[in-house]
Amino acid sequence: MYKKILVLSPSWIGDCVMTQPMLRRLRERHPGCTIDVFAPKWSQAVYRRMPEADGILDNPFGHGALRLRERWRVGRELGKRGYDQVIATAGSLKMGLLAFATGIRRRTGYVGEQRYLLLNDIRRLDKAALPLMVDRYTALACESQADFDGVSSRPAFAISPASVAAALAKHNLNTDKPVIAFCSGAEYGPAKRWPARHFAETARHYAARGHQIWLFGSHKDAAVAEEINALSGGLCTNLCGKTALDDAIDLLACADTAFCNDSGLMHIAAAAGCRLVAIYGSSSPEHTPPLSSRARIVTLNLDCSPCFRRECPLGHTDCLNKLYPEKVIAIAEDLDKAA
């Protein structure tokens, strides 16, 4: 039984959400242990909503930054904190080097970029046996992959009524009318983004029925969100780039239903507990589905999809363009009936 465990978090927001079941399993296997998470600033809000994370340590390295000498120095500093185990969640050489530099007795992770000498508790990932990303993370919390029972719990954020009220006041919002949330971005690329005109038609449908429409995303999604708002006739409140992630989590928790592309915000909406319609184009829900009993997936399952490309290689993006709003709205209405 370990007393202190360090988890090196993934970089992508959605992946961070999917590590919560791993933290929960660690807590079950090592009662009373301290679990610290080493995470970049942009994802730390996610871990602040996980009761399983005792401490959050700042990862100063951005996407793709090598800075190997600095990684070694940071790793050595982490190693002085007295951990019994470090878990490297990503398969990169950079993360493996950081884990090795800590000198922590047990260094756990999957075989990756030449990491045989860097980790000493190396797992060979069987993708067929573990198709879900969440299960791959949870299995790392077990003594070995063979000891994993194949069942991951679902992420569930701790949402404080006080922080929700503060977020509403901060952004001059209220819940007098039911809220529909749109998460219209997808950082991976346009082949994962439902068209703005489809979102706008959906906004008109719900506004006519007395709902308010809130648009969520980063500053990178602001232009697409503004297009949705313009096409809807100004029916939406565009919050893209205006909310910190902490606020976005609280505000998403206010939503009656969220319509999301396959993105980090989709996983956040699921963990925040709102009803969710997850829209898939070039990607597949067989690997990273929304982890919620209140979620429904909508996809056309065309012969050419999923292609996992950032942009449609055929130039038409039919997997999303032909996924018309009436089909998506019907899925949401079925979800309402099941509530």
Side-chain angles (χ1 to χ4, degrees):
M1 184 180 298
Y2 294 146
K3 294 182 179 180
K4 200 169 184 182
I5 299 170
L6 175 65
V7 173
L8 307 180
S9 88
S11 293
W12 297 102
I13 294 290
D15 283 11
C16 293
V17 175
M18 287 184 281
T19 63
Q20 187 178 17
M22 176 187 71
L23 302 185
R24 199 173 291 142
R25 185 66 61 93
L26 286 170
R27 182 77 66 201
E28 292 168 357
R29 293 192 62 241
H30 306 281
C33 73
T34 296
I35 301 174
D36 290 342
V37 179
F38 182 72
K41 278 188 170 58
W42 61 79
S43 68
Q44 290 176 10
V46 169
Y47 290 106
R48 283 194 286 272
R49 301 314 178 99
M50 298 182 186
E52 301 83 1
D54 294 298
I56 302 169
L57 308 177
D58 185 47
N59 177 351
F61 306 108
H63 286 295
L66 286 174
R67 298 166 61 184
L68 297 181
R69 183 171 296 182
E70 290 179 62
R71 286 179 189 275
W72 182 266
R73 178 184 57 78
V74 170
R76 299 304 294 171
E77 290 300 315
L78 289 171
K80 296 175 183 178
R81 301 174 71 97
Y83 296 106
D84 301 297
Q85 181 185 26
V86 57
I87 298 177
T89 58
S92 68
L93 178 62
K94 293 173 293 186
M95 187 172 284
L97 178 65
L98 189 68
F100 179 74
T102 65
I104 295 170
R105 182 180 61 186
R106 187 170 189 181
R107 302 184 298 278
T108 302
Y110 290 113
V111 174
E113 300 170 347
Q114 304 299 319
R115 305 202 304 176
Y116 290 98
L117 298 178
L118 303 178
L119 305 178
N120 56 14
D121 176 24
I122 297 178
R123 315 290 176 85
R124 291 187 176 277
L125 176 61
D126 184 342
K127 293 184 178 181
L130 298 175
L132 294 178
M133 180 62 77
V134 65
D135 288 345
R136 297 175 186 180
Y137 290 136
T138 305
L140 288 174
C142 300
E143 185 63 24
S144 69
Q145 188 164 306
D147 292 320
F148 175 49
D149 59 8
V151 178
S152 295
S153 58
R154 290 176 173 142
F157 287 166
I159 305 292
S160 160
S163 64
V164 170
L168 288 169
K170 179 179 179 180
H171 296 281
N172 197 27
L173 298 169
N174 62 66
T175 55
D176 295 345
K177 296 193 296 183
V179 176
I180 296 293
F182 287 172
C183 300
S184 56
E187 191 167 341
Y188 184 74
K192 290 177 70 172
R193 298 187 197 124
W194 203 38
R197 65 184 185 278
H198 291 350
F199 272 112
E201 185 175 335
T202 306
R204 291 193 294 271
H205 171 88
Y206 281 100
R209 286 155 179 78
H211 292 71
Q212 52 183 323
I213 318 297
W214 296 351
L215 310 181
F216 291 87
S218 71
H219 68 280
K220 296 177 183 178
D221 306 315
V224 171
E226 205 49 55
E227 181 183 2
I228 293 169
N229 192 31
L231 291 173
S232 74
L235 296 172
C236 307
T237 299
N238 185 1
L239 298 170
C240 292
K242 300 175 183 178
T243 61
L245 188 55
D246 275 305
D247 290 343
I249 292 170
D250 287 322
L251 295 175
L252 276 168
C254 297
D256 180 70
T257 305
F259 293 81
C260 304
N261 294 325
D262 177 18
S263 64
L265 280 178
M266 177 193 75
H267 293 287
I268 286 176
C274 57
R275 285 180 287 187
L276 170 65
V277 178
I279 301 165
Y280 282 78
S282 69
S283 58
S284 170
E286 294 183 2
H287 183 49
T288 54
L291 301 168
S292 169
S293 61
R294 307 185 75 204
R296 296 293 182 272
I297 292 165
V298 56
T299 181
L300 290 180
N301 290 315
L302 301 181
D303 290 341
C304 58
S305 66
C307 67
F308 301 103
R309 301 288 288 274
R310 293 178 183 271
E311 298 185 17
C312 176
L314 302 177
H316 53 58
T317 321
D318 281 351
C319 60
L320 292 172
N321 285 323
K322 291 185 177 180
L323 183 55
Y324 298 116
E326 53 265 29
K327 179 178 177 67
V328 175
I329 291 169
I331 295 290
E333 290 176 350
D334 287 342
L335 187 56
D336 290 342
K337 294 173 185 176

